[in-house]
Amino acid sequence: AQRVTQPEKLLSVFKGAPVELKCNYSYSGSPELFWYVQYSRQRLQLLLRHISRESIKGFTADLNKGETSFHLKKPFAQEEDSAMYYCALSGTKSGGYNKLIFGAGTRLAVHP
Amino acid sequence: GAGVSQSPSNKVTEKGKDVELRCDPISGHTALYWYRQSLGQGLEFLIYFQGNSAPDKSGLPSDRFSAERTGGSVSTLTIQRTQQEDSAVYLCASAVYGGGEDGYTFGSGTRLTVV
């Protein structure tokens, strides 16, 4: 079964501290993994995807197939990073499309 | 349009009534998805439309839920005989065929409250 697990509902850190939002997945094939972010009163938006291997707003995420993880990291958290973060998995292509499966989300609160 | 548009933004309805939620995807996006966002539950996949293919309805929670997409563009999600547990934010997203490098583009959602 395809599943995404985000074990932390809330992660609270101080400004300047390192951040790691955990994401583990269950998938039998070669997954595509994403992180989406939802800032207060804004719509859900794509933060990064593992294929692009980019660093967006200082965040990075490495796909670890051995540990089936895709943790989101940032070395120095900023207050504007406070938001809801969702890890998502793109399942098997069927008919040429991918259905995103989301985790329950982690709320990141960065305190001054 | 420039983004995915959903209406209404808020809907309060009485238990037992039917509701219709509308989604206008980005022009040219062939894929359209409906998700339900509940507190503490993350995003729950409901239904997917891709071009002229039969929709993937595997996420619809009951037969009270249905959706259609007319002309490959606008989609309507209908909930019949609403129940209190249907209260949630209903999100629509569209994507270029196969998702593309930009992933999904989400609308701002419709907050449904069943009283």
Side-chain angles (χ1 to χ4, degrees), chain A residues 9 32 34 36 38 43-46 49 84 86 93 95-105 107, chain B residues 3-4 33 35 37 40-43 45 48 50 56 58 91 97-98 100-104 106-108:
Chain A
K9 289 187 177 180
E32 291 186 34
F34 303 79
Y36 279 78
Q38 188 169 30
R43 59 187 66 190
L44 196 63
Q45 58 186 288
L46 178 66
R49 57 185 296 178
M84 194 74 178
Y86 292 94
K93 287 189 178 181
Y97 73 88
N98 297 325
K99 180 172 67 183
L100 276 181
I101 298 165
F102 286 86
R107 180 167 298 283
Chain B
V4 177
Y33 306 80
Y35 284 83
Q37 186 179 31
Q41 300 296 319
L43 274 77
F45 167 77
Y48 163 80
Q50 173 60 64
D56 178 351
S58 60
L91 294 175
Y97 186 90
E101 290 191 356
D102 295 330
Y104 295 13
F106 281 87
S108 55

Side-chain angles (χ1 to χ4, degrees), chain A residues 12-65:
Chain A
S12 187
V13 302
F14 286 104
K15 176 182 174 181
V19 169
E20 182 178 69
L21 289 88
K22 291 184 168 52
C23 172
N24 288 90
Y25 65 91
S26 174
Y27 184 66
S28 58
S30 294
E32 291 186 34
L33 275 297
F34 303 79
W35 277 99
Y36 279 78
V37 61
Q38 188 169 30
Y39 300 102
S40 179
R41 298 187 183 86
Q42 295 187 27
R43 59 187 66 190
L44 196 63
Q45 58 186 288
L46 178 66
L47 179 62
L48 56 81
R49 57 185 296 178
H50 88 272
I51 284 182
S52 60
R53 303 185 67 81
E54 292 177 296
S55 173
I56 306 294
K57 298 184 179 181
F59 285 97
T60 59
D62 290 320
L63 178 60
N64 186 323
K65 292 186 178 181

Side-chain angles (χ1 to χ4, degrees), chain B residues 6-28:
Chain B
Q6 290 188 247
S7 61
S9 55
N10 280 283
K11 177 72 176 179
V12 180
T13 190
E14 292 181 354
K15 178 181 173 181
K17 295 284 181 68
D18 297 352
V19 295
E20 284 190 353
L21 312 180
R22 177 188 168 103
C23 173
D24 268 296
I26 291 175
S27 178

